[in-house]
């Protein structure tokens, strides 16, 4: 591989790992697991979550997210949402207890994200997102082509 390309790839991969690491640090600082944060993140985005949504969005093993959702249900944080379920895909929403638990966490996350966006700017964040999605597609296609 060309040394310049290798250096670029290493920089991109380190940046992605650091990016995810910041969310992991935030989660740890707030006493929740990274995967539990992803459940809350998905609920913040959609109002509910399914195991499939989370696994597909973050490329995580089904068993991992199943364990997180099961634990959150046992702790009274999540309840089954029949109105958002489709076929065998079960959807879950926050319970009243879950809302009280998640609200301060999600607010804290939103504040740090909003501050980061204010520092970076909407235009740069939009460009970054478009480029990362394009790179994701290129990686996926390349992986299939190389197999």
């Amino acid at each position: 591989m060309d040394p310049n390309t290798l250096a670029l790839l290493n920089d991109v991969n380190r940046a992605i790992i650091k990016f995810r690491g910041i969310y992991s640090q935030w989660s740890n600082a707030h006493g929740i697991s990274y995967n539990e944060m992803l459940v809350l993140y998905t609920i913040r985005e959609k109002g509910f979550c399914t195991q499939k949504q989370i696994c597909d969005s973050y490329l995580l093993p089904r068993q991992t997210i199943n364990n997180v959702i099961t634990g959150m249900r046992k702790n009274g944080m999540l309840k089954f949402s029949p109105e958002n379920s489709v076929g065998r895909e079960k959807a879950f929403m926050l319970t009243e207890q879950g809302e009280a638990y998640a609200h301060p966490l999600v607010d804290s996350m939103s504040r740090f994200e909003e501050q980061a966006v204010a520092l970076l700017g909407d235009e740069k964040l939009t460009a970054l997102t478009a480029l990362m999605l394009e790179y994701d597609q290129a990686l996926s296609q390349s992986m299939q082509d190389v197999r």
Side-chain angles (χ1 to χ4, degrees), residues 51-111:
Q51 181 177 315
K52 184 176 179 355
Q53 284 173 328
I54 297 166
C55 292
D56 290 351
S57 293
Y58 303 107
L59 300 178
L60 293 170
R62 292 182 64 82
Q63 188 62 40
T64 299
I65 296 306
N66 182 56
N67 290 340
V68 173
I69 289 174
T70 299
M72 290 178 78
R73 289 183 74 194
K74 282 182 184 176
N75 291 331
M77 302 298 162
L78 294 178
K79 64 181 177 183
F80 176 64
S81 173
E83 62 273 9
N84 293 306
S85 297
V86 178
R88 292 179 44 184
E89 192 175 345
K90 294 180 183 176
F92 300 94
M93 297 175 63
L94 292 170
T95 62
E96 195 172 307
Q97 177 183 342
E99 288 279 353
Y101 167 77
H103 187 71
L105 294 170
V106 172
D107 283 353
S108 171
M109 184 189 313
S110 294
R111 282 192 306 276

Side-chain angles (χ1 to χ4, degrees), residues 11 21-22 31 45 49 56 59 88 90 92 99 102 112 121 123 125 129 131-132:
D11 288 346
I22 291 167
E45 178 185 0
C49 71
D56 290 351
L59 300 178
R88 292 179 44 184
K90 294 180 183 176
F92 300 94
E99 288 279 353
F112 102 79
E123 192 173 306
L125 186 60
T129 303
L131 288 170
M132 288 304 297

Side-chain angles (χ1 to χ4, degrees), residues 33-43 54 58 60:
S33 73
Y34 180 78
N35 292 327
E36 187 177 346
M37 183 269 305
L38 293 176
V39 170
L40 297 177
Y41 206 88
T42 304
I43 291 171
I54 297 166
Y58 303 107
L60 293 170

